[in-house]
Amino acid sequence: MKSRPPAVPELVRLCCRALADKKAEDIRVLDVSAESSLTDYLVFACGTSQPHLRALRAALDEAIKASGTRLVGVDATEESGWTVIDAFDVMIHLFTPAQREHFGLENLWKDAAEVPLAGLLPAAPKPKAPRKAPPRRRAAAAKAKPAKKKKKR
């Protein structure tokens, strides 16, 4: 029996987790279902370099395929600094920071509702309180009484 693809919000969650696990920067999710007939969600993220963008794309490919969702297409011109992954109801744009600023795609969707990442990513564990160092013990030599001085004869 073939597994069904997850609901769109779950696919968005899977994509965001895959991106966060690979240290993507500035992840944003827009719900464009009311504004677009092509897709329901746009996911934007930055990679720090071309190798980082390739790693992000590989992580997304793996997560999307594992979910049972079929990719419609991927457009990634080598060294362009911009990769688009189309999973039909979710379209992911991966940029270098310079390319993201240059194209400003988020500005085209000003009327779209932004989906808060807090609901998509697992909560980060709270940092543990620093432990106090145990009191220093004196070295055995320091505890010993100093040797008596020998008298000169």
Side-chain angles (χ1 to χ4, degrees):
M1 181 157 96
K2 198 171 187 178
S3 65
R4 288 182 38 199
V8 173
E10 184 58 29
L11 181 58
V12 171
R13 185 175 288 111
L14 286 171
C15 291
C16 289
R17 286 181 179 168
L19 290 169
D21 287 348
K22 287 293 181 184
K23 309 288 188 234
E25 297 177 349
D26 195 16
I27 302 170
R28 285 187 68 194
V29 179
L30 300 179
D31 179 349
V32 294
S33 57
E35 290 83 11
S36 173
S37 60
L38 298 176
T39 191
D40 291 334
Y41 294 90
L42 292 174
V43 178
F44 300 97
C46 284
T48 57
S49 62
Q50 279 302 135
H52 191 202
L53 288 178
R54 285 192 296 272
L56 293 173
R57 177 183 166 201
L60 283 168
D61 284 346
E62 188 177 310
I64 291 169
K65 287 177 185 173
S67 75
T69 302
R70 189 176 71 78
L71 286 176
V72 176
V74 175
D75 185 8
T77 305
E78 193 65 29
E79 305 300 320
S80 72
W82 183 8
T83 299
V84 181
I85 300 169
D86 187 352
F88 192 68
D89 291 328
V90 180
M91 194 170 288
I92 304 109
H93 294 266
L94 305 175
F95 296 97
T96 58
Q99 290 295 75
R100 186 169 180 176
E101 185 178 334
H102 175 75
F103 288 105
L105 288 185
E106 289 109 323
N107 296 330
L108 298 175
W109 301 98
K110 289 181 182 178
D111 295 337
E114 185 157 1
V115 178
L117 280 181
L120 299 173
L121 298 176
K126 291 182 180 178
K128 294 180 181 179
R131 288 181 23 187
K132 282 188 173 180
R136 299 189 104 191
R137 296 182 183 183
R138 292 184 182 186
K143 285 185 182 180
K145 294 181 180 177
K148 293 184 180 179
K149 292 183 181 178
K150 291 184 182 182
K151 293 183 183 178
K152 288 187 183 178
R153 291 190 191 178

